[in-house]
Amino acid sequence: MTTPTTPLWTRRLQESGNRILAGGIALALITIGAWLYAAKDDGQYRLQRVAPGPAMISDAKVELVRIFLPTTVDRSTLDPPAGTTDVAAEVAYDFTQSPDADSCSAILTAGEYTFASASWATIDGNWQTCEPGMNNTITYIFEVPDHLVEQVDGVGILILAYNFDFVSVANFETPHFPTYHTVLPGRIS
Amino acid sequence: MRTTRSALGQLLDELRLLFGQTFRVLAKLAAPIFGLLLVGWSAYILASLAASALACVVPWVVVPIMAVCVVVQLACILAVLRLTALHLGMPQVLARTTLHTEVSDDRDTSPAHLMAVALLPFLGMYAGFGYLSDFTRSAVVVSSYRCGIPALLTAFSPQLDGDFSAGGMSLWLLVAIVVALQLLKRIFETLRERVRHPIVPAFAQISVETLMAFLMLLGGFRLWQELDLWWTDTVVALWWRTFLEWALAATPDLVVQIWTTVTGFVSDTLWPLVVSDVLRPFLWLAMAGLVFGTRALALTDFWILGRSRRAGRRSRWVAKLQEDSETAQGLRLVTTKAAEFALGGVESKLLPAWQSLRLVLSAGWPFLGAFAIAFAVIDKARALPHLALVLLTGGHPGEFWLRLWPIEGLIGDVLVLGFMWVMLAVAYTRGLSIFAERTAQSELDAVLVAGPTITAALKQSRWQAVSVVAVATVVVAAVSAIPATVEADYRDGVPGEVVSIDEFGMSIGQPRLAKQLSGYEPKNTNLVFLVVPVELSNPGPHSGSYQLSIKAGERTYRPWDGTMSVTARPGFRMSTEIVFEIQPDDAGPGLELLARRLEVLSEYQQVARFNLGLEPDAAVLPTTEVSISVWAAA
């Protein structure tokens, strides 16, 4: 009967146990770091701040003209929420060089807060949106809690691609989720 | 009585041996064992990370990555088992059986051979116990969190109606891919048997098998759903339902009640106990045996050979399966070959696991009882880090738990499972030692002929067996009954009181009961409408929605008009009234309104719980008006 011996590979594993452990710990730390970095945001709703002035989103040009407090707002039968102020933002867009650009939407940023445009409110009763192949200026209305009006610092624009579907509702430079709002900086004038 | 004491003493001795030996092995081999498990754990987490980052863009890339990472993790676990087995002196144990010269085993000399031979059945067991589906679920959840839609499920969902506007793929494409992968798997399997160095085809085969498993988990289940829907709509199914209804109506209430109680006990208590607490540990142990090599499994071969005339029905069945594939002709040949093509050879999956299980079960009641208890204790310990964490930190939204997920898993999956893997190797070695001790005094012939049968081993002493089984069952059931999870972090309140939940504040007004809702189009009910005024305040910058439900004992009511959730935009508060339609019997004390955050990933959440404070004889109004939603700054 021969005496069984420990195979070479398991002997190597045992002998280099500390090195394997060190490697395992290093890999685990890298993994945790990568995980925590990736988990910083949910990736669905990102703001990409750009410099003041005109900004290009793919072939479309957008520019924040001004942010102001309108004297009148038409919201048909609805009352404004108590404790809020209407803030308007004028945005110029140029879709003439961008055949895929179909429409756009906007948010108002105020520090960490973001407010979607109040689609039920307009300056003059005419609802506006970006038109394919056109260049124009449109005005969005936002309802902002009084105590946050001073913090308003920009307008985020999202351009929707032509023939968009469920999956590709996004800036057409990234035809998938997550979606990016390009934030044009500006203060209330 | 002396027999019982002796049996329980043996049980305790076995338990002491299992735990003591496990600690001793860990003290000696902690560095390589935990190092390997950390590598395997990192592969698992990195695969989930890849799923979260890539599923939105290139979901097809995610599945092979997941497959490779699972193979890496399993390979690390196998290496740990093998390392432990060799440290425990498995070759010496096998030598004592005098069979080592008859059977050669490449597993001893080459880690690649070990992986090639043992990974496949290991993967099968891993999938069988739901680990692959858990992994898939995790990947789907993190990718949904990241993408906003269940991108992985969407990408692999077969669209039977040919409408791909919401993503997905053609059913025929899915079927073609599965058939192609199956073909590829068989090619690798054949290559593995014919080439000089079978490692590469073996690994390729295992990767393809894993890939197929993930594909079926992500898209194949929809086929089953469609089949189920089709069956539900058939005339035969309608006849069957009608027959059942007729049979139920014709059966006395007492019989129905007894039947319901018995089936409820079997499905809710007995079946989970048998599968999870009894069957699972022994199948895991059998799986651990696969890495011990053919010499260990050959023990069972010789043992079965020695009593071939008395071979059991199951052994004959396995033998018949093999014989069928070798001698079949005509249509039978086609059927057999098709089954073999779909399922793979029985010898690669079924036989090794079956042999291993037979060997384990022959070790006697004290060992089996002790192992079941040890497994239950360690299995329960795996849930404890999560329990400790939720009790320490309290309820939080899903993002919080998502960040902690790998760290939390590190404790359960590396430390506790590491202990489990070592204990499995210790237990298998112990089982084999018991077998070897019985046969050590005999010559080879005696081993072949006089080895104990399963039945004989388990019936050494009926009274002893009964005592051990009773004690082990009670202990395992008691350990299983220890709660390992807590439902939610309840924040209690009453009408008029603001309850803080996450960054939100929620309050309810006095609820009303009514038979009719007035308004543009009055609504009546044969039951009772319960109208609850709700205010949700969101002073912070983050969004959030809450699902509302009414709990009345065992019953749960959702909003009558299908309202999914209430939401308050950042910086705003929203007041509204939610209507529930409830049974008149429930319209009294004990009604609770629960508000639970609506999120893709929910773990241990904060849940607002309001006692509605209704009196036993609460007035039911003939009619009441329901307010519309009103917004204001928070």
Side-chain angles (χ1 to χ4, degrees), chain A residues 1-2 4 7 9-10 17-18 21 28 31 34-36 38-42 44 46 81-84 112-113 115 143 145 166 177, chain B residues 31 42 45 49 56 82 86 91 100 108-109 111 145-149 402-403 405-406 539-541 569-572 631-633:
Chain A
M1 187 184 297
T2 54
W9 72 274
T10 48
N18 288 336
L21 182 63
T31 304
W35 183 273
L36 290 177
K40 274 202 303 188
D41 62 75
D42 62 10
Q44 294 170 39
R46 288 183 184 168
T84 63
E112 278 190 90
Y113 289 81
F115 304 100
E143 294 165 344
F166 178 55
F177 281 91
Chain B
S42 299
I45 298 295
L49 197 61
C56 324
R82 189 69 177 170
L86 288 164
H100 72 288
D108 281 344
T109 50
Y145 173 78
R146 189 83 176 166
C147 308
I149 52 167
L402 194 74
R403 287 189 184 104
W405 186 42
R569 304 196 297 262
F572 284 82
W631 289 85

Side-chain angles (χ1 to χ4, degrees), chain A residues 60-71:
Chain A
K61 190 163 89 175
V62 289
E63 183 175 6
L64 176 62
V65 180
R66 62 175 180 143
I67 304 175
F68 63 103
L69 301 177
T71 47

Side-chain angles (χ1 to χ4, degrees), chain B residues 42-313:
Chain B
S42 299
Y44 177 90
I45 298 295
L46 287 173
S48 301
L49 197 61
S52 78
L54 300 175
C56 324
V57 193
V58 275
W60 280 97
V61 176
V62 174
V63 181
I65 292 176
M66 284 167 65
V68 170
C69 287
V70 161
V71 173
V72 169
Q73 192 186 23
L74 291 182
C76 289
I77 294 169
L78 283 181
V80 166
L81 286 169
R82 189 69 177 170
L83 190 62
T84 310
L86 288 164
H87 174 76
L88 289 166
M90 178 57 62
Q92 285 80 2
V93 172
L94 288 170
R96 283 167 62 189
T97 64
T98 72
L99 295 175
H100 72 288
T101 49
E102 280 73 20
V103 187
S104 65
D105 192 348
D106 287 336
R107 268 173 267 211
D108 281 344
T109 50
S110 159
H113 273 100
L114 167 69
M115 303 302 164
V117 175
L119 255 179
L120 200 56
F122 199 87
L123 175 70
M125 196 76 85
Y126 209 70
F129 280 114
Y131 283 79
L132 283 191
S133 50
D134 283 351
F135 187 25
T136 311
R137 201 175 300 119
S138 306
V140 167
V141 167
V142 292
S143 62
S144 306
Y145 173 78
R146 189 83 176 166
C147 308
I149 52 167
L152 270 183
L153 285 183
T154 309
F156 295 100
S157 176
Q159 302 298 323
L160 303 184
D161 54 4
D163 177 8
F164 302 104
S165 59
M169 65 163 95
S170 152
L171 166 68
W172 299 113
L173 178 62
L174 179 68
V175 172
I177 291 170
V178 170
V179 171
L181 286 174
Q182 184 73 12
L183 199 63
L184 202 61
K185 188 191 88 177
R186 299 296 287 167
I187 290 170
F188 286 132
E189 203 172 355
T190 312
L191 274 178
R192 191 176 138 180
E193 286 154 12
R194 292 184 185 172
V195 298
R196 196 172 163 195
H197 300 289
I199 309 307
V200 175
F203 270 94
Q205 183 199 345
I206 293 155
S207 299
V208 169
E209 291 242 10
T210 319
L211 198 65
M212 278 171 62
F214 279 129
L215 206 56
M216 293 313 287
L217 284 166
L218 286 166
F221 77 98
R222 285 271 297 121
L223 297 178
W224 170 251
Q225 283 180 340
E226 290 294 336
L227 199 65
D228 192 43
L229 280 174
W230 168 81
W231 163 251
T232 312
D233 286 345
T234 57
V235 180
V236 180
L238 182 67
W239 290 344
W240 176 244
R241 283 197 297 274
T242 312
F243 168 74
L244 284 181
E245 281 165 18
W246 170 81
L248 198 66
T251 312
D253 287 348
L254 183 66
V255 176
V256 173
Q257 208 169 354
I258 291 170
W259 172 252
T260 311
T261 310
V262 169
T263 51
F265 172 74
V266 170
S267 63
D268 299 341
T269 309
L270 196 61
W271 182 247
L273 183 79
V274 168
V275 172
S276 174
D277 299 330
V278 178
L279 196 60
R280 192 164 59 106
F282 293 109
L283 288 180
W284 273 116
L285 186 55
M287 190 182 68
L290 299 177
V291 298
F292 283 51
T294 42
R295 283 202 299 226
L297 298 180
L299 287 176
T300 342
D301 274 336
F302 280 108
W303 174 41
I304 294 166
L305 194 67
R307 51 191 187 81
S308 58
R309 283 180 195 170
R310 292 178 285 125
R313 215 183 321 165

Side-chain angles (χ1 to χ4, degrees), chain B residues 521-544:
Chain B
E521 196 181 342
K523 302 284 182 191
N524 297 297
T525 178
N526 293 326
L527 307 176
V528 176
F529 284 126
L530 170 69
V531 182
V532 187
V534 175
E535 185 173 281
L536 183 65
S537 176
N538 181 11
H542 304 115
S543 306

Side-chain angles (χ1 to χ4, degrees), chain B residues 2 6 28 65 126 156 196-197 239 265 267 288 361 364 445 454 475 489 506 574 587 596 598 603 624:
Chain B
R2 190 174 295 167
S6 150
K28 190 83 179 166
I65 292 176
Y126 209 70
F156 295 100
R196 196 172 163 195
H197 300 289
W239 290 344
F265 172 74
S267 63
L361 289 178
D445 283 347
I454 290 177
V475 175
D489 183 2
M506 181 175 273
M574 196 270 292
R596 195 181 289 274
L598 185 68
E603 270 287 330
T624 190

